[in-house]
Amino acid sequence: MPSQVVPGSFRDPSGFLFFRDDGIYRQINHGYQENYDLLMSSRLYSTLVDAGLLIPHEEVEAAPVVTEQAYKIIKPQLIDFISYPYEWSFSQLKDAALATLAIQKWAIDFGMTLKDASAYNIQFVEGRPLLIDTLSFERYEEGRPWVAYRQFCQHFLAPLTLMAYSHINLNQLLRVYIDGIPLDLASALLPVRTRFRFSLLTHLHMHSRSQERHADSHDGKARSAKLGKTAFLGIINNLESAIRKLEWRPGKTEWGDYYESTNYTSDSHKHKVEAIVGFLDRLKPRKIWDLGANTGLFSRLGADRGIPTVSFDIDPVAVEKNYLNVKKGDKLVLPLLLDLSNPSPGIGWKNEERMSLLDRGPTDMAFALALIHHLAISNNLPLVRIADFFDHICESLVIEFVPKTDSQVKRLLTTREDIFPDYTQEAFEKVFSEYFTIQDAVALDGSERTLYLMVKRQA
Amino acid sequence: MRAIRKFSKYLVLTLFVLSLFPSVAFAYLDPGTGSYLMQVLIGGVMGGMFAVSMFWRRIVAFFSNLFGRGTSKDNLADEPSKPSDPSE
């Protein structure tokens, strides 16, 4: 059976992930044998899995990829959708940070420690952050400082502090810096008042200064410095307290109050819900991407039917609200931040370490509700390019056409010249029909909008 | 007050040690060394704060037990730390 090593799984010599036709596997190399055995025998693994903090796996008798290095092959639970920290809302990143520290505290209790603290090792599964790298643990040696301290500060503390104190969109720096935001950059961008909070002064500003001071130091003596267990735990607890105190109180944005400010009548909203539910029951998709989901109102129609639904929006306030609702129980909705006009690219070595949005598709069904006018008019995207995009990302499409006579489109056109003579319902149907078969079109009561169900044409 | 004096002492010491090093940053970065030393420098203060908070929890637990409130052993500092649920 052919194997394909996951492109982003090469930094840690302990093992690597690979795909086969029947799922994803992880090879554990001989070099990690002692630590893996300790993880399993110490009950740390079962404790963390029971606490919903570590991905469960089973040991399998599968052929290894690199035979001479292989100790064991494990098959981890499959994750519906891999997301990245630059796609998370403030509270998602905060919960991921707290989960990492909770895992570290458990690990210490069992005589182990996290040897890395990468935000990319955390994924959201059923609304909760989960560590997906089973090989992140090593035996704790008393006296040794936390080897992942720098990484934790760069991946979690720096972006969260920047989001809370400077600007919510500064998490996008994580897209530029794959190993977290450099502390000198974070320190330079943060306001002076962060220096008056002891934890931020030490973990970010002084930490950055210390890195600069020792940038050229290869002195082995420095690395042999000892840190007692109480001091070690003190640092972990202080980091946890610092993260917990970081808060972001979102103000009003264009989208955060969308449902309160639109001119949807309750009848047209109800009709729209009924039409979508009918489409879902007809095609029964296994997974959905809801693009331009706002706070995820329609994403929940899929999730309520047991369908994992990724709920994308450009607005950090909407994504935050969506996630806070997910925490209350809508576990199959995964809210994520995404600018559709500039979706997440492939980043890292060979642009392959972290997948682009399109690499993570296609999905069974996409929702594009009250979206097309923003793409076509606000972003000057020709209809043919929009149809081509959906052709790449989904097998079926629920899309709402919003005509120029709609008040929302009129609003978009009040401040600019109408250079969109081709933005008509006829042109929309003609262009999309080249990629999709239109299975249904429902004129929504009380509005001039039409909801379409389309299925991709077979090549 | 002792804790505050101790904390201030460590902070001044830390700032003093950092100020001893030249401020030129070189192109090659080895952030590990600076991060290692940073932990050693702040570990004393944060470990002290952690120890004080654990000691305080024991006192609270002792009096809670004495007056019949909160009999849970989880309140004791020498129990393994129960990490709180991040999704709460």
Side-chain angles (χ1 to χ4, degrees), chain B residues 44-62:
Chain B
V45 184
M46 292 180 183
M49 289 158 67
F50 176 63
V52 167
S53 74
M54 288 294 105
F55 183 64
W56 182 246
R57 279 177 61 186
R58 291 188 95 179
I59 292 173
V60 170
F62 173 77

Side-chain angles (χ1 to χ4, degrees), chain A residues 227-254:
Chain A
L227 186 77
K229 191 171 179 180
T230 305
F232 189 104
L233 287 170
I235 291 172
I236 304 297
N237 275 276
N238 190 273
L239 283 169
E240 187 182 34
S241 157
I243 299 278
R244 279 193 193 284
K245 283 178 187 158
L246 290 173
E247 286 190 353
W248 174 56
R249 296 192 193 286
K252 282 194 173 180
T253 64
E254 186 180 4

Side-chain angles (χ1 to χ4, degrees), chain A residues 383-436:
Chain A
L383 288 173
V384 66
R385 287 181 183 255
I386 300 172
D388 180 62
F389 170 75
F390 284 113
D391 178 57
H392 276 84
I393 65 153
C394 63
E395 300 299 324
S396 62
L397 175 63
V398 176
I399 186 165
E400 182 178 9
F401 184 77
V402 186
K404 276 187 188 174
T405 47
D406 186 280
S407 61
Q408 294 294 320
V409 181
K410 280 181 183 167
R411 190 174 61 84
L412 293 180
L413 287 169
T414 50
T415 53
R416 62 177 304 174
E417 192 181 339
D418 183 356
I419 53 163
F420 310 99
D422 297 333
Y423 186 78
T424 65
Q425 190 149 357
E426 293 71 33
F428 165 79
E429 288 187 5
K430 185 169 181 288
V431 166
F432 273 73
S433 293
E434 288 172 26
Y435 295 87
F436 295 91

